[in-house]
């Protein structure tokens, strides 16, 4: 026997109450977002015009949608129409923001401030509930694919190469104009390749051609052709070159340089995206793709800070990221990161500027720990060093004496100081052979004392029992956060374009992952069940000054 269903009914009975589980993520999202004093960002509401949607309600919608792997504006609107927990978040069943409203919200500059305030509130909530400690903070980065076409790249070297060829053409054209006695009305010291000079050339040619047109109208037929017409034909050709080819290309290259900044590439689809080497490379040919470098700082697998960077390497992102953190709110003793962040300026900044202990291995750290490396007498670190007379002795008993100091400044402005050692002169054939190069030059080595002392300090910290225990947690902190982002939430490609818009979207998705983790903790750990009730009273109980924390 089967139950017969009838879809032709004239009425549909609906329950008067729709219950949401006490441990559902929407309850955690709603309780958390309601504690954010968004008026510090948005100010007073306008008394005129159509009432706007509440920013907090829009933020709740975005957090819940992203936690359910929904990133499209149209699909979020569809969720608001059909999804019961989403309707519970909105409150009014008749309120359904359009996809345009949703897309405008997540790209709004005011949303950037609201997201920053949201993370400030979240960190304080974790501190008040004893979910954070002052032991260490863990930093790592990953590449996120931009919402840009794959083959929309523009390279700095190619731009500079073609621009130099264009400059040579403009110089030759400037000489042609002088030879044709065109009144350019420009100073002689002006650069012929400058954009303003090209614009002045177009204006001068227009004036000259207009004058020739007036003269030709009153001119009689001349046997053998009119010289004025020949001159006009020549000037029109030059004007076509400047106005339709040289000037637009020069304007394009100038715009390219503004978009480049200090980068070597950008995408024509998303000008803020940089071409980077992604791990997702099915062809295994090292193809570069447009993307952003996402940096996060975690503790207890919660993302406390994040920063979107346009640099493909992690080494140069650490200092800007640390400067953006609020160590007054989250004081820690250790900064933990992987080998990609190990460098002399990074160690110096963490130790001297922040007063923290870096647990960041340098590139050769693991290799230097191997027995093969430590017993290789050809390595400078295994040579005999005599501190009293300041000289080295290599495995062939060649003495390298102190010769002087050397200074190198890299393209980022960081200066490194090196001590230069040169091999002594030897008269015997064997000593001469090992003290000189194949070209007959004297052998030499450069030692960076500051870098060597930093490496020794890092080795001591990483080999200590406390350092080993803290550094062992690194893979349990950052990697699960990225794995949850890309594998569970399936967030592998951005939906917006532009650095500020990308910053907003990544802030929302990372907080959605935080709320999802927190909701699961509420369901699994009984001592967290009272978190929702306590959350709305945290700031009244603590008397927290938001303005102080925002500074």
């Amino acid at each position: 026997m089967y139950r017969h269903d009838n879809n032709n009914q004239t009425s549909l009975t609906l329950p008067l109450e729709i219950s949401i589980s006490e441990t559902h993520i929407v309850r955690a999202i709603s309780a958390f977002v309601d504690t954010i004093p968004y008026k510090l960002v948005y100010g007073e509401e306008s008394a005129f015009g159509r009432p706007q949607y509440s920013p907090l309600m829009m933020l709740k919608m975005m957090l819940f949608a992203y936690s359910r792997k929904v990133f499209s504006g149209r699909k979020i609107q569809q969720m608001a129409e059909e999804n019961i927990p989403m309707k519970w978040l909105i409150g009014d069943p008749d309120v359904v923001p359009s996809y345009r409203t949703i897309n405008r919200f997540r790209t709004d500059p005011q949303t950037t401030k609201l997201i920053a305030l949201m993370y400030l509130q979240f960190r304080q909530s974790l501190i008040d509930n004893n979910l954070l400690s002052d032991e260490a903070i863990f930093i790592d980065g990953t590449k996120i694919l931009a919402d840009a076409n794959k083959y929309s790249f523009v390279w700095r070297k190619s731009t500079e190469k073609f621009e130099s060829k264009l400059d040579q053409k403009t110089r030759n054209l400037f000489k042609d104009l002088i030879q044709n006695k065109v009144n350019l009305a420009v100073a002689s010291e002006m650069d012929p390749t400058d954009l303003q000079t090209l614009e002045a050339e177009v204006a001068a040619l227009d004036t000259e051609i207009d004058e020739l047109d007036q003269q030709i109208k009153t001119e009689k037929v001349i046997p053998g052709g009119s010289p004025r017409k020949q001159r006009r034909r020549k000037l029109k050709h030059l004007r076509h070159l400047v106005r339709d080819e040289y000037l637009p290309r020069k304007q394009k290259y100038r715009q390219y340089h503004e978009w480049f900044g200090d980068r070597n590439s950008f995408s024509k689809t998303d000008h803020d995206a940089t071409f980077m080497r992604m791990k997702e490379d099915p062809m295994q040919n090292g193809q570069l793709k447009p993307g952003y470098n996402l940096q996060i700082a975690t503790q207890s697998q919660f993302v406390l800070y994040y920063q979107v960077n346009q640099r493909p390497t992690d080494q140069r992102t650490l200092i800007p990221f640390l400067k953006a953190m609020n160590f007054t709110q989250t004081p820690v003793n250790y900064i933990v990161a992987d080998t990609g962040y190990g460098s002399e300026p990074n160690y110096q900044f963490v130790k001297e500027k922040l007063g923290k202990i870096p647990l960041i291995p340098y590139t050769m750290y693991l290799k230097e720990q191997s027995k093969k490396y430590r017993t290789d007498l050809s390595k400078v670190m295994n040579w005999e060093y005599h501190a009293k007379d300041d000289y080295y002795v290599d495995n062939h008993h060649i003495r390298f004496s102190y010769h002087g100091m050397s200074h190198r400044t890299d393209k980022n402005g960081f200066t490194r100081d090196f001590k230069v050692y040169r091999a002594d002169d030897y008269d015997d054939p064997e000593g001469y052979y090992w003290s000189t190069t194949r070209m007959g030059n004297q052998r030499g080595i450069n030692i960076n004392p500051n870098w060597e002392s930093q490496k020794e300090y890092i080795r001591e910290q990483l080999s200590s029992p406390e350092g080993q225990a803290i550094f062992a947690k690194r893979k349990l902190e950052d990697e699960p956060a990225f794995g949850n982002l890309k594998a569970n939430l399936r967030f592998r490609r951005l939906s917006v374009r532009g650095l500020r818009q990308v910053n907003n979207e990544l802030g929302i998705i990372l907080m959605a992952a935080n709320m999802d983790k927190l909701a699961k903790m509420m369901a699994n750990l009984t001592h967290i069940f009272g978190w929702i009730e306590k959350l709305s009273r945290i700031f009244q109980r603590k008397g927290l000054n938001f303005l102080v924390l925002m500074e």
Side-chain angles (χ1 to χ4, degrees), residues 333-430:
N333 298 323
Y334 292 92
I335 304 294
V336 186
D338 61 15
T339 310
Y341 296 87
S343 69
E344 185 177 349
N346 288 348
Y347 293 150
Q348 187 172 320
F349 181 84
V350 174
K351 291 171 59 180
E352 298 179 5
K353 300 295 183 180
L354 299 181
K356 312 294 183 183
I357 301 175
L359 288 181
I360 308 173
Y362 49 91
T363 306
M364 295 289 292
Y365 173 75
L366 290 178
K367 192 171 184 179
E368 289 180 358
Q369 307 306 310
S370 64
K371 181 179 179 181
K372 180 180 178 181
Y373 193 93
R374 287 186 284 109
T375 56
D376 188 355
L377 297 180
S378 64
K379 305 298 181 183
V380 177
M381 66 172 294
N382 297 324
W383 290 3
E384 296 180 15
Y385 175 65
H386 298 265
K388 182 178 180 181
D389 296 323
D390 195 11
Y391 67 90
Y392 285 87
V393 178
D394 70 356
N395 53 325
H396 298 289
H397 306 290
I398 302 299
R399 174 171 168 164
F400 288 76
S401 302
Y402 175 73
H403 186 266
M405 293 294 297
S406 169
H407 309 281
R408 299 177 190 172
T409 302
D410 58 19
K411 62 181 180 180
N412 304 318
F414 186 80
T415 302
R416 293 174 172 82
D417 302 323
F418 292 87
K419 297 178 70 175
V420 180
Y421 294 85
R422 295 284 176 84
D424 294 348
D425 294 326
Y426 289 85
D427 296 331
D428 59 292
E430 184 178 0

Side-chain angles (χ1 to χ4, degrees), residues 28 50 102 113 154 174 206 208 220 335 397 416 550:
R50 182 182 177 90
I102 294 170
K113 300 179 182 179
V154 178
F174 188 81
D206 287 337
E208 186 78 14
K220 295 181 180 181
I335 304 294
H397 306 290
R416 293 174 172 82
M550 289 179 70

Side-chain angles (χ1 to χ4, degrees), residues 113-169:
K113 300 179 182 179
L114 183 59
I115 291 173
L117 189 59
M118 174 179 65
Y119 275 85
L120 186 71
Q121 172 83 332
F122 182 74
R123 293 192 297 268
Q124 189 62 38
S125 302
L126 295 180
I127 292 171
D128 290 336
N129 286 275
N130 299 321
L131 294 176
L132 295 182
S133 68
D134 59 354
E135 183 181 60
I137 198 165
F138 302 85
I139 297 175
D140 203 355
T142 189
K143 310 292 194 309
I144 302 293
L145 196 64
D147 182 25
N149 296 340
K150 187 187 299 183
Y151 300 111
S152 60
F153 43 76
V154 178
W155 306 105
R156 179 186 290 274
K157 287 186 177 180
S158 298
T159 301
E160 292 174 348
K161 180 181 72 173
F162 290 116
E163 187 177 17
S164 64
K165 293 181 179 180
L166 175 64
D167 290 342
Q168 185 60 43
K169 292 180 180 180

Side-chain angles (χ1 to χ4, degrees), residues 122-353:
F122 182 74
R123 293 192 297 268
Q124 189 62 38
S125 302
L126 295 180
I127 292 171
D128 290 336
N129 286 275
N130 299 321
L131 294 176
L132 295 182
S133 68
D134 59 354
E135 183 181 60
I137 198 165
F138 302 85
I139 297 175
D140 203 355
T142 189
K143 310 292 194 309
I144 302 293
L145 196 64
D147 182 25
N149 296 340
K150 187 187 299 183
Y151 300 111
S152 60
F153 43 76
V154 178
W155 306 105
R156 179 186 290 274
K157 287 186 177 180
S158 298
T159 301
E160 292 174 348
K161 180 181 72 173
F162 290 116
E163 187 177 17
S164 64
K165 293 181 179 180
L166 175 64
D167 290 342
Q168 185 60 43
K169 292 180 180 180
T170 56
R171 292 188 187 97
N172 296 335
L173 184 137
F174 188 81
K175 295 178 181 178
D176 289 344
L177 294 177
I178 298 298
Q179 292 175 359
N180 284 275
K181 299 180 181 180
V182 177
N183 184 15
L184 299 177
V186 296
S188 58
E189 64 272 8
M190 290 187 67
D191 186 3
T193 64
D194 189 69
L195 191 61
Q196 295 179 351
T197 305
L198 292 175
E199 293 172 350
E201 291 174 359
V202 174
L205 286 169
D206 287 337
T207 303
E208 186 78 14
I209 292 172
D210 290 341
E211 292 177 357
L212 288 173
D213 287 338
Q214 297 299 325
Q215 296 173 4
I216 291 172
K217 285 181 181 179
T218 60
E219 186 180 57
K220 295 181 180 181
V221 177
I222 301 175
S226 171
R228 291 191 180 95
K229 289 183 179 180
Q230 294 175 3
R231 177 175 172 80
R232 185 179 66 175
R233 191 178 302 113
K234 175 67 175 178
L235 295 183
K236 280 187 175 181
H237 172 68
L238 295 176
R239 184 179 65 177
H240 169 72
L241 288 178
V242 180
R243 184 183 62 189
D244 299 334
E245 183 178 350
Y246 295 169
L247 185 59
R249 286 179 60 189
K250 192 66 178 180
Q251 292 172 340
K252 180 182 70 173
Y253 292 147
R254 173 169 289 189
Q255 182 64 65
Y256 280 3
H257 285 297
E258 292 180 3
W259 287 334
F260 276 127
D262 58 351
R263 298 178 294 159
N264 293 323
S265 66
F266 71 85
S267 170
K268 293 180 182 178
T269 313
D270 183 359
H271 301 148
D272 291 337
T274 307
F275 277 79
M276 307 176 181
R277 196 177 304 279
M278 303 285 182
K279 291 183 179 178
E280 296 81 8
D281 186 9
M283 298 296 292
Q284 298 295 321
N285 56 3
Q287 192 176 62
L288 302 181
K289 297 179 183 178
Y292 293 87
N293 192 352
L294 171 63
Q295 300 291 312
I296 64 171
T298 64
Q299 193 182 117
S300 302
Q301 295 184 0
F302 289 109
V303 179
L304 306 181
Y305 300 92
Y306 78 99
Q307 188 179 67
V308 182
N309 208 289
Q310 297 171 288
R311 302 185 183 279
T313 57
D314 291 335
Q315 193 174 92
R316 293 177 59 190
T317 64
L318 182 63
I319 294 178
F321 190 26
L322 293 175
K323 288 181 178 178
M325 291 186 190
N326 187 350
F327 286 103
T328 304
Q329 187 185 20
T330 54
V332 293
N333 298 323
Y334 292 92
I335 304 294
V336 186
D338 61 15
T339 310
Y341 296 87
S343 69
E344 185 177 349
N346 288 348
Y347 293 150
Q348 187 172 320
F349 181 84
V350 174
K351 291 171 59 180
E352 298 179 5
K353 300 295 183 180

